[in-house]
Amino acid sequence: MSPERVESIRQILDRVGDKWSLLVIAVLEDGPLRYTDLQTAVSGISQRMLTLTLRQLGQDGLVSRTSYPEVPPRVEYELTPLGRGLIQVVTSLIAWVSEHHDEIHHNRVRAGVRSAG
């Protein structure tokens, strides 16, 4: 594999592997959502980070943004077919984390690692 391809793969994994992108993708699995509904569903994400995450996922072609000419304006975000291709991977990863949460937490406590708040 060429160094350029490896770098490209690394960049894509960095993007889709960050915690906010994974959660946004998981939340959008059931269909389009408005910005405020997304912010509510992705607990703990700041407005700035949600905006940045949506922009980056849009740049990669994983999420689309549709603006409706209404008063007040309505904007919805949804997974593209490319983004939908990640659903199985994302839900499997979330299920694994959920299944092993207690064991990982126990190991962190034993190692003296504080939980991220």
Side-chain angles (χ1 to χ4, degrees), residues 105 108-109 113-117:
H105 177 73
R108 286 179 175 179
V109 169
V113 176
R114 291 181 179 249
S115 296

Side-chain angles (χ1 to χ4, degrees), residues 11 14 29 50 59 83 101 114:
Q11 289 173 358
D14 283 349
E29 177 183 14
L50 179 56
Q59 289 169 352
H101 174 270
R114 291 181 179 249

Side-chain angles (χ1 to χ4, degrees), residues 7-8 13-14 19 22 25 29 32 37 39 51 66 73 76 82 91-92 102 105 107 109-110:
E7 177 62 15
S8 177
L13 287 174
D14 283 349
K19 68 180 178 181
L22 287 173
I25 290 167
E29 177 183 14
D37 296 328
Q39 192 170 23
T51 299
T66 305
E76 290 183 340
L82 184 62
T91 55
S92 293
D102 292 341
H105 177 73
N107 289 332
V109 169
R110 192 177 73 218

Side-chain angles (χ1 to χ4, degrees), residues 87-102:
I87 288 296
Q88 184 177 0
V89 173
V90 170
T91 55
S92 293
L93 183 57
I94 290 170
W96 183 90
V97 170
S98 181
E99 182 180 334
H100 296 287
H101 174 270
D102 292 341

Side-chain angles (χ1 to χ4, degrees), residues 7-58:
E7 177 62 15
S8 177
I9 290 169
R10 186 196 60 75
Q11 289 173 358
I12 294 166
L13 287 174
D14 283 349
R15 174 75 44 84
V16 298
D18 77 72
K19 68 180 178 181
W20 298 123
S21 293
L22 287 173
L23 292 173
V24 167
I25 290 167
V27 166
L28 288 173
E29 177 183 14
D30 293 331
L33 287 174
R34 295 175 81 162
Y35 184 92
T36 53
D37 296 328
L38 261 171
Q39 192 170 23
T40 300
V42 182
S43 179
I45 194 168
S46 68
Q47 183 175 350
R48 179 184 177 283
M49 187 53 65
L50 179 56
T51 299
L52 179 63
T53 300
L54 288 168
R55 185 178 302 129
Q56 291 172 336
L57 290 172

